[in-house]
Coordinates of all heavy atoms in Angstrom, one line a residue:
M1 N 51.5 -13.1 -46.6 CA 50.3 -13.2 -47.4 C 49.3 -12.3 -46.8 O 49.3 -12.0 -45.6 CB 49.8 -14.6 -47.4 CG 50.5 -15.5 -48.4 SD 49.6 -17.0 -48.8 CE 49.9 -17.9 -47.4
F2 N 48.4 -11.8 -47.7 CA 47.3 -11.0 -47.3 C 46.1 -11.2 -48.2 O 46.2 -11.8 -49.2 CB 47.7 -9.5 -47.3 CG 48.1 -9.0 -48.7 CD1 47.1 -8.3 -49.4 CD2 49.3 -9.2 -49.2 CE1 47.4 -7.8 -50.7 CE2 49.6 -8.7 -50.5 CZ 48.7 -8.0 -51.2
K3 N 45.0 -10.7 -47.7 CA 43.7 -10.9 -48.5 C 43.2 -9.5 -48.9 O 43.5 -8.5 -48.3 CB 42.7 -11.6 -47.6 CG 43.0 -13.0 -47.3 CD 41.9 -13.8 -46.7 CE 42.4 -15.1 -46.3 NZ 41.7 -16.2 -46.7
V4 N 42.5 -9.6 -50.0 CA 41.9 -8.4 -50.6 C 40.4 -8.7 -50.8 O 40.1 -9.8 -51.3 CB 42.5 -8.0 -51.9 CG1 41.8 -6.8 -52.5 CG2 44.0 -7.7 -51.8
I5 N 39.5 -7.8 -50.4 CA 38.1 -8.0 -50.6 C 37.6 -6.8 -51.4 O 37.8 -5.6 -50.9 CB 37.3 -8.1 -49.2 CG1 37.9 -9.2 -48.4 CG2 35.8 -8.2 -49.5 CD1 37.4 -9.3 -47.0
A6 N 37.1 -7.0 -52.6 CA 36.7 -6.0 -53.5 C 35.1 -6.1 -53.6 O 34.6 -7.2 -53.8 CB 37.3 -6.1 -54.8
R7 N 34.4 -5.0 -53.3 CA 33.0 -4.9 -53.4 C 32.5 -4.1 -54.6 O 33.0 -3.0 -54.9 CB 32.4 -4.3 -52.2 CG 30.9 -4.3 -52.1 CD 30.4 -3.4 -51.0 NE 28.9 -3.5 -50.8 CZ 28.1 -2.8 -51.5 NH1 28.4 -1.9 -52.4 NH2 26.7 -2.9 -51.3
M8 N 31.6 -4.7 -55.4 CA 31.1 -4.1 -56.6 C 29.6 -4.2 -56.7 O 29.1 -5.3 -56.5 CB 31.7 -4.8 -57.9 CG 33.3 -4.7 -57.9 SD 34.0 -6.1 -58.8 CE 33.8 -7.4 -57.7
E9 N 29.0 -3.0 -56.9 CA 27.5 -3.0 -57.1 C 27.2 -2.7 -58.5 O 27.7 -1.8 -59.1 CB 26.9 -1.9 -56.2 CG 25.4 -1.9 -56.2 CD 24.8 -1.0 -55.2 OE1 25.6 -0.4 -54.4 OE2 23.6 -1.0 -55.1
V10 N 26.4 -3.6 -59.1 CA 26.2 -3.6 -60.6 C 24.7 -3.2 -60.8 O 23.8 -3.5 -60.1 CB 26.5 -5.0 -61.1 CG1 26.2 -5.1 -62.6 CG2 27.9 -5.4 -60.8
M11 N 24.5 -2.6 -62.0 CA 23.1 -2.4 -62.4 C 22.3 -3.7 -62.4 O 22.8 -4.7 -63.0 CB 23.1 -1.8 -63.8 CG 23.7 -0.4 -64.0 SD 23.7 0.0 -65.7 CE 24.8 1.4 -65.7
P12 N 21.2 -3.8 -61.8 CA 20.5 -5.1 -61.7 C 20.3 -5.8 -63.1 O 20.4 -7.0 -63.2 CB 19.2 -4.7 -61.1 CG 19.5 -3.5 -60.2 CD 20.5 -2.7 -61.0
E13 N 20.0 -5.0 -64.1 CA 19.7 -5.6 -65.4 C 21.0 -6.0 -66.1 O 20.9 -6.7 -67.2 CB 18.9 -4.6 -66.3 CG 19.7 -3.3 -66.7 CD 19.7 -2.2 -65.6 OE1 19.3 -2.4 -64.5 OE2 20.1 -1.1 -66.0
K14 N 22.1 -5.7 -65.6 CA 23.4 -6.1 -66.2 C 24.2 -7.2 -65.4 O 25.3 -7.5 -65.7 CB 24.3 -4.9 -66.3 CG 23.8 -3.8 -67.2 CD 23.8 -4.2 -68.6 CE 23.4 -3.1 -69.5 NZ 23.4 -3.5 -70.9
C15 N 23.5 -7.8 -64.5 CA 24.1 -8.9 -63.6 C 24.6 -10.1 -64.5 O 25.8 -10.5 -64.2 CB 23.2 -9.3 -62.5 SG 23.0 -8.1 -61.2
D16 N 23.9 -10.6 -65.4 CA 24.3 -11.7 -66.2 C 25.6 -11.4 -67.0 O 26.5 -12.2 -67.0 CB 23.2 -12.2 -67.1 CG 22.1 -12.8 -66.4 OD1 22.2 -13.3 -65.2 OD2 21.0 -12.9 -67.0
F17 N 25.6 -10.2 -67.6 CA 26.8 -9.7 -68.3 C 28.0 -9.7 -67.4 O 29.1 -10.1 -67.7 CB 26.5 -8.4 -68.9 CG 27.7 -7.7 -69.5 CD1 28.2 -8.0 -70.8 CD2 28.4 -6.7 -68.7 CE1 29.3 -7.3 -71.3 CE2 29.5 -6.1 -69.2 CZ 30.0 -6.4 -70.5
F18 N 27.8 -9.1 -66.2 CA 28.9 -8.9 -65.2 C 29.4 -10.3 -64.7 O 30.6 -10.5 -64.6 CB 28.4 -8.0 -64.0 CG 29.5 -7.7 -63.1 CD1 30.4 -6.7 -63.4 CD2 29.6 -8.3 -61.9 CE1 31.4 -6.4 -62.6 CE2 30.6 -8.0 -61.0 CZ 31.5 -7.0 -61.4
I19 N 28.5 -11.2 -64.4 CA 28.9 -12.5 -63.9 C 29.7 -13.2 -64.9 O 30.7 -13.8 -64.6 CB 27.6 -13.3 -63.5 CG1 27.0 -12.8 -62.3 CG2 28.0 -14.8 -63.4 CD1 25.6 -13.3 -62.0
K20 N 29.3 -13.2 -66.2 CA 30.1 -13.8 -67.3 C 31.6 -13.2 -67.3 O 32.5 -14.0 -67.3 CB 29.4 -13.6 -68.6 CG 30.2 -14.1 -69.8 CD 29.5 -13.8 -71.1 CE 30.3 -14.2 -72.3 NZ 31.6 -13.6 -72.5
N21 N 31.7 -11.9 -67.3 CA 33.0 -11.3 -67.3 C 33.8 -11.5 -66.0 O 35.0 -11.7 -66.1 CB 32.8 -9.7 -67.5 CG 32.6 -9.4 -68.9 OD1 33.5 -9.2 -69.7 ND2 31.3 -9.3 -69.3
L22 N 33.1 -11.5 -64.9 CA 33.8 -11.8 -63.6 C 34.3 -13.2 -63.5 O 35.4 -13.5 -63.0 CB 32.8 -11.5 -62.5 CG 33.3 -11.6 -61.0 CD1 34.5 -10.6 -60.9 CD2 32.2 -11.3 -60.0
A23 N 33.5 -14.2 -64.1 CA 34.0 -15.6 -64.1 C 35.3 -15.7 -64.9 O 36.2 -16.4 -64.6 CB 32.9 -16.5 -64.6
E24 N 35.3 -15.1 -66.1 CA 36.4 -15.1 -67.0 C 37.6 -14.5 -66.3 O 38.8 -15.0 -66.4 CB 36.1 -14.4 -68.3 CG 35.1 -15.2 -69.2 CD 34.6 -14.4 -70.4 OE1 35.2 -13.3 -70.6 OE2 33.7 -14.9 -71.1
L25 N 37.4 -13.3 -65.6 CA 38.5 -12.7 -64.9 C 39.1 -13.6 -63.8 O 40.3 -13.7 -63.7 CB 37.9 -11.4 -64.3 CG 38.9 -10.7 -63.3 CD1 40.1 -10.1 -64.0 CD2 38.1 -9.7 -62.5
A26 N 38.2 -14.2 -63.1 CA 38.7 -15.0 -62.0 C 39.6 -16.2 -62.5 O 40.6 -16.5 -61.8 CB 37.5 -15.6 -61.2
I27 N 39.2 -16.8 -63.5 CA 40.0 -17.9 -64.1 C 41.4 -17.4 -64.5 O 42.4 -18.1 -64.1 CB 39.3 -18.5 -65.3 CG1 38.0 -19.3 -64.8 CG2 40.2 -19.5 -66.1 CD1 37.1 -19.7 -66.0
K28 N 41.5 -16.3 -65.1 CA 42.8 -15.7 -65.5 C 43.6 -15.2 -64.3 O 44.8 -15.4 -64.3 CB 42.6 -14.7 -66.6 CG 42.0 -15.3 -67.9 CD 41.6 -14.2 -68.8 CE 41.0 -14.8 -70.1 NZ 40.5 -13.8 -71.0
A29 N 42.9 -14.5 -63.4 CA 43.6 -13.9 -62.3 C 44.2 -15.0 -61.4 O 45.3 -14.8 -60.8 CB 42.7 -13.0 -61.5
E30 N 43.5 -16.1 -61.2 CA 44.0 -17.2 -60.4 C 45.3 -17.8 -60.9 O 46.1 -18.3 -60.1 CB 43.0 -18.3 -60.2 CG 42.8 -18.8 -58.9 CD 41.6 -19.7 -58.7 OE1 41.2 -20.3 -59.7 OE2 41.2 -19.8 -57.6
R31 N 45.6 -17.6 -62.2 CA 46.8 -18.1 -62.8 C 48.0 -17.1 -62.6 O 49.1 -17.5 -63.0 CB 46.6 -18.4 -64.2 CG 45.6 -19.5 -64.5 CD 45.4 -19.7 -66.0 NE 44.3 -20.7 -66.2 CZ 43.5 -20.6 -67.2 NH1 43.6 -19.6 -68.1 NH2 42.5 -21.5 -67.4
C32 N 47.7 -15.9 -62.1 CA 48.8 -14.9 -62.0 C 49.8 -15.4 -60.9 O 49.4 -16.0 -59.9 CB 48.2 -13.6 -61.5 SG 47.4 -12.7 -62.8
K33 N 51.1 -15.0 -61.2 CA 52.1 -15.3 -60.2 C 51.8 -14.6 -58.9 O 51.5 -13.5 -58.9 CB 53.4 -14.9 -60.8 CG 54.6 -15.3 -59.9 CD 55.9 -14.9 -60.6 CE 57.1 -15.4 -59.7 NZ 58.4 -15.1 -60.4
G34 N 51.9 -15.4 -57.8 CA 51.7 -14.8 -56.5 C 50.2 -14.8 -56.0 O 50.0 -14.4 -54.9
C35 N 49.3 -15.3 -56.9 CA 47.9 -15.3 -56.5 C 47.6 -16.7 -55.8 O 47.9 -17.7 -56.5 CB 47.0 -15.1 -57.7 SG 45.2 -15.2 -57.2
C36 N 47.2 -16.7 -54.6 CA 46.9 -18.0 -53.9 C 45.4 -18.3 -54.0 O 45.1 -19.5 -54.0 CB 47.2 -17.8 -52.4 SG 49.0 -17.4 -52.2
A37 N 44.6 -17.3 -54.2 CA 43.1 -17.6 -54.3 C 42.5 -16.3 -54.9 O 42.9 -15.2 -54.7 CB 42.5 -17.9 -53.0
Y38 N 41.4 -16.6 -55.7 CA 40.7 -15.5 -56.4 C 39.2 -16.0 -56.5 O 38.9 -16.7 -57.5 CB 41.3 -15.2 -57.7 CG 41.1 -13.8 -58.2 CD1 42.0 -12.8 -58.0 CD2 39.9 -13.5 -59.0 CE1 41.8 -11.5 -58.5 CE2 39.7 -12.2 -59.4 CZ 40.7 -11.2 -59.2 OH 40.5 -9.9 -59.7
E39 N 38.4 -15.6 -55.6 CA 37.0 -16.2 -55.6 C 36.0 -15.1 -55.7 O 35.8 -14.3 -54.8 CB 36.8 -17.0 -54.3 CG 35.5 -17.6 -54.2 CD 35.2 -18.4 -52.9 OE1 36.0 -18.3 -52.0 OE2 34.2 -19.0 -52.8
P40 N 35.2 -15.1 -56.8 CA 34.1 -14.2 -56.9 C 32.9 -14.8 -56.2 O 32.6 -16.0 -56.3 CB 33.9 -14.1 -58.4 CG 34.4 -15.3 -59.0 CD 35.5 -15.8 -58.0
V41 N 32.2 -13.9 -55.4 CA 30.9 -14.3 -54.8 C 29.9 -13.3 -54.9 O 30.2 -12.1 -55.2 CB 31.2 -14.7 -53.3 CG1 32.1 -15.8 -53.1 CG2 31.7 -13.4 -52.5
M42 N 28.6 -13.7 -54.7 CA 27.5 -12.8 -54.9 C 26.7 -12.7 -53.5 O 26.6 -13.7 -52.9 CB 26.5 -13.3 -56.0 CG 25.3 -12.4 -56.2 SD 24.3 -13.0 -57.6 CE 23.7 -14.5 -57.0
S43 N 26.3 -11.5 -53.2 CA 25.6 -11.3 -51.9 C 24.2 -12.0 -52.0 O 23.6 -12.0 -53.0 CB 25.3 -9.8 -51.7 OG 24.4 -9.6 -50.7
R44 N 23.8 -12.7 -50.9 CA 22.5 -13.3 -50.9 C 21.4 -12.3 -50.7 O 20.3 -12.4 -51.2 CB 22.4 -14.3 -49.7 CG 23.1 -15.5 -49.9 CD 22.9 -16.5 -48.7 NE 23.4 -17.8 -49.0 CZ 23.3 -18.8 -48.2 NH1 22.6 -18.6 -47.0 NH2 23.7 -20.0 -48.5
E45 N 21.7 -11.2 -50.0 CA 20.7 -10.2 -49.7 C 20.5 -9.2 -50.9 O 19.4 -8.8 -51.2 CB 21.1 -9.3 -48.5 CG 21.1 -10.1 -47.2 CD 22.3 -11.0 -47.0 OE1 23.4 -10.6 -47.5 OE2 22.2 -12.0 -46.3
E46 N 21.6 -8.8 -51.6 CA 21.5 -7.9 -52.7 C 22.1 -8.6 -53.9 O 23.3 -8.7 -54.1 CB 22.3 -6.6 -52.4 CG 21.9 -5.9 -51.1 CD 22.8 -4.8 -50.8 OE1 23.8 -5.1 -50.1 OE2 22.6 -3.6 -51.2
K47 N 21.2 -9.1 -54.8 CA 21.7 -9.9 -55.9 C 22.5 -9.2 -56.9 O 23.1 -9.8 -57.8 CB 20.4 -10.5 -56.6 CG 19.6 -11.5 -55.7 CD 20.5 -12.7 -55.3 CE 19.6 -13.6 -54.5 NZ 20.3 -14.7 -53.9
N48 N 22.6 -7.9 -56.8 CA 23.5 -7.1 -57.7 C 24.7 -6.6 -57.1 O 25.4 -5.8 -57.6 CB 22.7 -5.9 -58.3 CG 22.3 -4.9 -57.3 OD1 21.9 -5.2 -56.2 ND2 22.5 -3.6 -57.6
V49 N 25.1 -7.2 -55.9 CA 26.3 -6.9 -55.2 C 27.2 -8.1 -55.2 O 26.8 -9.2 -54.9 CB 26.1 -6.4 -53.8 CG1 27.4 -6.2 -53.0 CG2 25.2 -5.1 -53.8
F50 N 28.5 -7.8 -55.7 CA 29.4 -8.9 -55.9 C 30.7 -8.6 -55.1 O 31.0 -7.4 -54.9 CB 29.8 -9.1 -57.4 CG 28.6 -9.5 -58.2 CD1 27.8 -8.5 -58.7 CD2 28.3 -10.8 -58.4 CE1 26.6 -8.8 -59.4 CE2 27.2 -11.1 -59.2 CZ 26.3 -10.1 -59.7
F51 N 31.4 -9.6 -54.7 CA 32.7 -9.5 -54.0 C 33.7 -10.4 -54.7 O 33.4 -11.4 -55.2 CB 32.6 -9.9 -52.5 CG 31.6 -9.1 -51.7 CD1 30.3 -9.4 -51.7 CD2 32.1 -7.9 -51.1 CE1 29.4 -8.7 -50.9 CE2 31.2 -7.2 -50.3 CZ 29.8 -7.5 -50.2
I52 N 35.0 -9.9 -54.7 CA 36.1 -10.8 -55.0 C 36.9 -11.0 -53.8 O 37.3 -9.9 -53.2 CB 36.9 -10.3 -56.2 CG1 36.1 -10.1 -57.4 CG2 38.1 -11.3 -56.5 CD1 36.9 -9.4 -58.6
I53 N 37.1 -12.2 -53.3 CA 38.0 -12.4 -52.2 C 39.3 -13.0 -52.7 O 39.3 -14.1 -53.3 CB 37.3 -13.4 -51.2 CG1 35.9 -12.8 -50.8 CG2 38.2 -13.7 -50.0 CD1 35.0 -13.8 -50.1
E54 N 40.4 -12.3 -52.6 CA 41.6 -12.7 -53.1 C 42.7 -12.9 -52.0 O 42.6 -12.3 -51.0 CB 42.2 -11.5 -54.0 CG 41.2 -11.0 -55.0 CD 41.7 -9.7 -55.6 OE1 42.9 -9.6 -55.9 OE2 40.8 -8.8 -55.9
E55 N 43.6 -13.7 -52.3 CA 44.8 -13.9 -51.4 C 46.0 -13.8 -52.3 O 46.2 -14.5 -53.3 CB 44.7 -15.2 -50.7 CG 45.8 -15.4 -49.6 CD 45.6 -16.6 -48.7 OE1 44.8 -17.5 -49.1 OE2 46.2 -16.6 -47.7
W56 N 47.0 -13.0 -51.8 CA 48.2 -12.7 -52.5 C 49.4 -13.0 -51.7 O 49.4 -12.7 -50.5 CB 48.2 -11.3 -53.1 CG 47.2 -11.1 -54.1 CD1 45.9 -10.7 -54.0 CD2 47.4 -11.3 -55.5 NE1 45.2 -10.7 -55.2 CE2 46.1 -11.0 -56.2 CE3 48.4 -11.8 -56.3 CZ2 45.9 -11.2 -57.5 CZ3 48.2 -11.9 -57.7 CH2 47.0 -11.6 -58.3
V57 N 50.5 -13.4 -52.3 CA 51.8 -13.6 -51.6 C 52.4 -12.3 -51.1 O 52.8 -12.2 -50.0 CB 52.8 -14.4 -52.5 CG1 54.1 -14.4 -51.8 CG2 52.3 -15.8 -52.8
N58 N 52.3 -11.3 -52.0 CA 52.9 -10.0 -51.6 C 52.3 -8.9 -52.4 O 51.6 -9.1 -53.4 CB 54.4 -10.0 -51.6 CG 55.0 -10.2 -53.0 OD1 54.4 -9.8 -54.0 ND2 56.0 -11.0 -53.1
D59 N 52.6 -7.6 -52.0 CA 52.1 -6.4 -52.7 C 52.5 -6.4 -54.2 O 51.8 -5.9 -55.1 CB 52.5 -5.2 -52.0 CG 51.8 -4.9 -50.7 OD1 50.6 -5.3 -50.7 OD2 52.4 -4.4 -49.8
E60 N 53.8 -6.8 -54.4 CA 54.3 -6.7 -55.8 C 53.5 -7.5 -56.8 O 53.1 -7.0 -57.8 CB 55.7 -7.3 -55.8 CG 56.4 -7.3 -57.1 CD 57.8 -7.9 -57.1 OE1 58.4 -8.0 -56.0 OE2 58.2 -8.3 -58.1
F61 N 53.1 -8.8 -56.4 CA 52.3 -9.6 -57.3 C 50.9 -9.0 -57.4 O 50.3 -9.0 -58.5 CB 52.3 -11.0 -56.8 CG 53.6 -11.7 -56.9 CD1 54.0 -12.5 -55.8 CD2 54.3 -11.7 -58.1 CE1 55.3 -13.2 -55.9 CE2 55.5 -12.4 -58.2 CZ 56.0 -13.1 -57.1
F62 N 50.3 -8.5 -56.3 CA 49.0 -8.0 -56.3 C 48.9 -6.8 -57.3 O 48.1 -6.7 -58.1 CB 48.6 -7.5 -54.9 CG 47.3 -6.8 -54.9 CD1 46.1 -7.3 -55.3 CD2 47.3 -5.5 -54.4 CE1 44.9 -6.6 -55.2 CE2 46.1 -4.8 -54.3 CZ 44.9 -5.3 -54.7
K63 N 49.9 -5.9 -57.2 CA 49.9 -4.7 -58.0 C 50.2 -5.1 -59.5 O 49.6 -4.5 -60.4 CB 51.0 -3.7 -57.5 CG 50.6 -3.0 -56.2 CD 51.7 -2.2 -55.7 CE 51.4 -1.6 -54.3 NZ 52.5 -0.9 -53.7
A64 N 51.0 -6.1 -59.7 CA 51.3 -6.5 -61.1 C 50.1 -7.0 -61.8 O 50.0 -6.8 -63.0 CB 52.4 -7.5 -61.0
H65 N 49.2 -7.6 -61.1 CA 48.0 -8.2 -61.9 C 47.1 -7.1 -62.5 O 46.4 -7.4 -63.4 CB 47.3 -9.2 -61.0 CG 46.1 -8.7 -60.3 ND1 46.1 -7.9 -59.2 CD2 44.8 -8.9 -60.6 CE1 44.9 -7.7 -58.8 NE2 44.0 -8.3 -59.6
F66 N 47.2 -5.9 -62.0 CA 46.4 -4.8 -62.6 C 47.0 -4.4 -63.9 O 46.3 -3.7 -64.7 CB 46.4 -3.6 -61.6 CG 45.5 -3.8 -60.4 CD1 46.1 -4.0 -59.2 CD2 44.2 -3.8 -60.6 CE1 45.3 -4.2 -58.1 CE2 43.3 -4.0 -59.4 CZ 43.9 -4.2 -58.2
E67 N 48.2 -4.8 -64.2 CA 48.8 -4.4 -65.5 C 48.6 -5.5 -66.6 O 48.9 -5.3 -67.8 CB 50.3 -4.2 -65.3 CG 50.7 -3.1 -64.4 CD 50.1 -1.8 -64.8 OE1 50.1 -1.4 -66.0 OE2 49.5 -1.1 -63.9
E68 N 48.0 -6.6 -66.2 CA 47.7 -7.7 -67.2 C 46.6 -7.2 -68.1 O 45.6 -6.5 -67.7 CB 47.2 -8.9 -66.4 CG 48.3 -9.5 -65.5 CD 49.4 -10.3 -66.3 OE1 49.2 -10.6 -67.5 OE2 50.4 -10.6 -65.7
S69 N 46.7 -7.6 -69.4 CA 45.7 -7.2 -70.4 C 44.3 -7.7 -70.0 O 43.3 -7.0 -70.2 CB 46.1 -7.7 -71.7 OG 46.1 -9.1 -71.8
F70 N 44.1 -8.9 -69.4 CA 42.8 -9.4 -69.1 C 42.1 -8.5 -68.0 O 40.9 -8.3 -68.0 CB 42.8 -10.8 -68.6 CG 43.5 -11.1 -67.3 CD1 42.9 -10.9 -66.1 CD2 44.8 -11.5 -67.3 CE1 43.5 -11.1 -64.9 CE2 45.5 -11.7 -66.1 CZ 44.8 -11.5 -64.9
M71 N 43.0 -7.9 -67.1 CA 42.4 -7.1 -66.0 C 42.0 -5.7 -66.6 O 40.9 -5.3 -66.3 CB 43.5 -6.8 -65.0 CG 43.0 -6.2 -63.8 SD 41.9 -7.2 -62.9 CE 41.4 -6.2 -61.6
K72 N 42.8 -5.2 -67.5 CA 42.4 -4.0 -68.2 C 41.1 -4.2 -69.1 O 40.2 -3.3 -69.1 CB 43.5 -3.4 -69.1 CG 44.7 -3.0 -68.2 CD 45.8 -2.5 -69.0 CE 47.0 -2.0 -68.1 NZ 48.1 -1.5 -68.8
D73 N 41.0 -5.3 -69.7 CA 39.8 -5.6 -70.5 C 38.6 -5.7 -69.6 O 37.5 -5.2 -69.9 CB 40.0 -6.9 -71.3 CG 40.9 -6.9 -72.4 OD1 41.3 -5.7 -72.8 OD2 41.4 -7.9 -72.9
F74 N 38.7 -6.4 -68.4 CA 37.6 -6.5 -67.5 C 37.1 -5.1 -67.1 O 35.9 -4.8 -67.1 CB 38.0 -7.3 -66.3 CG 36.9 -7.3 -65.2 CD1 35.8 -8.2 -65.4 CD2 37.0 -6.5 -64.1 CE1 34.8 -8.2 -64.4 CE2 36.0 -6.6 -63.1 CZ 34.9 -7.4 -63.3
E75 N 38.1 -4.2 -66.7 CA 37.8 -2.9 -66.2 C 37.1 -2.1 -67.3 O 36.1 -1.4 -67.0 CB 39.0 -2.2 -65.8 CG 39.6 -2.7 -64.5 CD 41.0 -2.2 -64.1 OE1 41.6 -1.6 -64.9 OE2 41.4 -2.4 -62.9
K76 N 37.6 -2.2 -68.5 CA 36.9 -1.5 -69.7 C 35.5 -2.0 -70.0 O 34.6 -1.2 -70.1 CB 37.8 -1.6 -70.9 CG 37.3 -0.9 -72.1 CD 38.3 -1.0 -73.3 CE 37.9 -2.4 -73.9 NZ 38.7 -2.7 -75.1
N77 N 35.4 -3.3 -70.0 CA 34.1 -3.9 -70.3 C 33.0 -3.7 -69.2 O 31.8 -3.6 -69.6 CB 34.2 -5.5 -70.5 CG 35.0 -5.8 -71.7 OD1 35.2 -5.0 -72.6 ND2 35.5 -7.0 -71.8
C78 N 33.4 -3.6 -68.0 CA 32.4 -3.6 -66.9 C 32.3 -2.2 -66.2 O 31.4 -2.0 -65.4 CB 32.8 -4.6 -65.9 SG 32.6 -6.3 -66.5
K79 N 33.1 -1.3 -66.6 CA 33.1 0.1 -66.1 C 31.7 0.7 -66.1 O 31.2 1.3 -65.2 CB 34.1 1.0 -66.8 CG 34.2 2.3 -66.3 CD 35.2 3.1 -67.1 CE 35.3 4.5 -66.6 NZ 36.4 5.2 -67.3
E80 N 31.0 0.5 -67.2 CA 29.7 1.1 -67.4 C 28.5 0.5 -66.7 O 27.5 1.1 -66.6 CB 29.4 1.2 -68.9 CG 30.4 2.0 -69.8 CD 30.5 3.5 -69.3 OE1 29.5 4.1 -69.0 OE2 31.7 3.9 -69.3
V81 N 28.7 -0.7 -66.2 CA 27.7 -1.4 -65.5 C 27.7 -1.3 -64.0 O 26.8 -1.7 -63.3 CB 27.6 -2.9 -65.9 CG1 27.4 -3.1 -67.4 CG2 28.7 -3.7 -65.4
L82 N 28.8 -0.7 -63.5 CA 28.9 -0.5 -62.0 C 28.1 0.7 -61.6 O 28.1 1.8 -62.3 CB 30.4 -0.3 -61.7 CG 31.3 -1.5 -61.9 CD1 32.8 -1.1 -61.6 CD2 30.9 -2.6 -61.1
L83 N 27.5 0.6 -60.5 CA 26.7 1.7 -59.9 C 27.5 2.7 -59.1 O 27.1 3.8 -58.8 CB 25.5 1.2 -59.1 CG 24.4 0.5 -59.9 CD1 23.4 -0.1 -58.9 CD2 23.7 1.5 -60.8
D84 N 28.7 2.2 -58.7 CA 29.6 3.0 -57.8 C 31.0 2.5 -58.0 O 31.3 1.6 -58.7 CB 29.1 2.7 -56.3 CG 29.6 3.8 -55.4 OD1 30.3 4.7 -55.8 OD2 29.3 3.7 -54.2
E85 N 31.9 3.2 -57.4 CA 33.3 2.8 -57.4 C 33.5 1.5 -56.7 O 32.8 1.2 -55.8 CB 34.2 3.9 -56.7 CG 34.2 5.2 -57.4 CD 35.0 5.2 -58.6 OE1 36.1 4.6 -58.7 OE2 34.6 5.9 -59.6
V86 N 34.5 0.7 -57.2 CA 34.8 -0.5 -56.5 C 35.4 -0.2 -55.2 O 36.3 0.7 -55.1 CB 35.8 -1.3 -57.4 CG1 36.2 -2.6 -56.7 CG2 35.2 -1.7 -58.7
K87 N 34.9 -0.8 -54.2 CA 35.4 -0.6 -52.8 C 36.4 -1.7 -52.4 O 36.0 -2.9 -52.5 CB 34.3 -0.5 -51.8 CG 33.5 0.8 -52.1 CD 32.3 0.9 -51.2 CE 31.4 2.1 -51.4 NZ 30.9 2.3 -52.7
V88 N 37.6 -1.4 -52.1 CA 38.6 -2.4 -51.9 C 39.1 -2.3 -50.5 O 39.5 -1.2 -50.0 CB 39.8 -2.2 -52.9 CG1 40.9 -3.3 -52.6 CG2 39.3 -2.4 -54.3
S89 N 39.2 -3.4 -49.8 CA 39.8 -3.5 -48.5 C 40.9 -4.5 -48.5 O 40.8 -5.7 -49.0 CB 38.8 -4.0 -47.4 OG 37.7 -3.1 -47.3
V90 N 42.1 -4.1 -48.1 CA 43.3 -5.0 -48.0 C 43.4 -5.4 -46.6 O 43.4 -4.5 -45.7 CB 44.6 -4.2 -48.5 CG1 45.8 -5.1 -48.4 CG2 44.4 -3.8 -50.0
C91 N 43.5 -6.7 -46.3 CA 43.4 -7.2 -45.0 C 44.5 -8.1 -44.6 O 45.0 -8.9 -45.4 CB 42.1 -8.0 -44.8 SG 40.6 -7.2 -45.4
D92 N 45.0 -8.0 -43.4 CA 46.0 -8.9 -42.8 C 45.3 -9.9 -41.9 O 44.3 -9.5 -41.2 CB 47.1 -8.2 -42.1 CG 47.9 -7.3 -43.0 OD1 48.3 -7.9 -44.1 OD2 48.3 -6.2 -42.7
S93 N 45.7 -11.1 -41.8 CA 45.1 -12.1 -40.9 C 45.4 -11.7 -39.5 O 46.5 -11.2 -39.2 CB 45.7 -13.5 -41.3 OG 45.2 -14.4 -40.4
I94 N 44.5 -12.0 -38.6 CA 44.7 -11.8 -37.2 C 45.0 -13.1 -36.5 O 45.2 -13.1 -35.3 CB 43.6 -11.0 -36.5 CG1 42.2 -11.7 -36.7 CG2 43.5 -9.6 -37.1 CD1 41.1 -11.1 -36.0
M95 N 45.0 -14.2 -37.2 CA 45.2 -15.5 -36.6 C 46.3 -16.2 -37.3 O 46.5 -16.1 -38.5 CB 43.9 -16.3 -36.5 CG 42.9 -15.5 -35.7 SD 41.5 -16.4 -35.1 CE 42.2 -17.8 -34.4

């Protein structure tokens, strides 16, 4: 198993729109085969910065979820509200 942390910075005036779409994404992604956890969170310091903390069984399942229609819809719907590229870190546990 491994974790993925995705960081997204959104136009401040589009945060409500983004939160709605992110919540819908999380519900669907958590149901994907091989997904152990999919938690969207918001920075306390920067209210327009969001993270998704994911846990996956393996790379195959992680990569497969990008092919799901709901994931493509999220990317299409939210592409224009992002201020920068999504920054993704794939992490292995050290404990």
Side-chain angles (χ1 to χ4, degrees):
M1 277 196 287
F2 64 96
K3 294 191 187 228
V4 176
I5 302 168
R7 181 188 188 277
M8 297 153 287
E9 187 172 358
V10 176
M11 295 175 194
E13 67 275 12
K14 297 293 186 179
C15 285
D16 289 341
F17 170 82
F18 188 76
I19 289 169
K20 177 185 177 296
N21 281 272
L22 187 57
E24 291 172 6
L25 170 71
I27 290 166
K28 293 173 183 174
E30 221 171 25
R31 295 180 187 145
C32 284
K33 186 173 182 180
C35 181
C36 304
Y38 205 94
E39 182 180 7
V41 296
M42 180 175 68
S43 171
R44 284 185 171 184
E45 292 81 25
E46 300 171 276
K47 298 296 184 189
N48 66 317
V49 174
F50 299 86
F51 298 89
I52 301 173
I53 303 167
E54 311 169 37
E55 187 170 17
W56 292 90
V57 171
N58 61 37
D59 287 323
E60 179 184 339
F61 293 133
F62 172 63
K63 290 175 184 171
H65 98 283
F66 288 105
E67 299 305 316
E68 298 284 347
S69 61
F70 69 83
M71 189 68 185
K72 291 179 180 183
D73 289 344
F74 174 79
E75 290 171 346
K76 184 179 79 178
N77 292 341
C78 293
K79 182 179 180 178
E80 300 300 318
V81 304
L82 295 175
L83 290 175
D84 199 358
E85 294 288 320
V86 177
K87 293 176 178 60
V88 177
S89 296
V90 179
C91 309
D92 291 317
S93 179
I94 57 172
M95 301 196 50

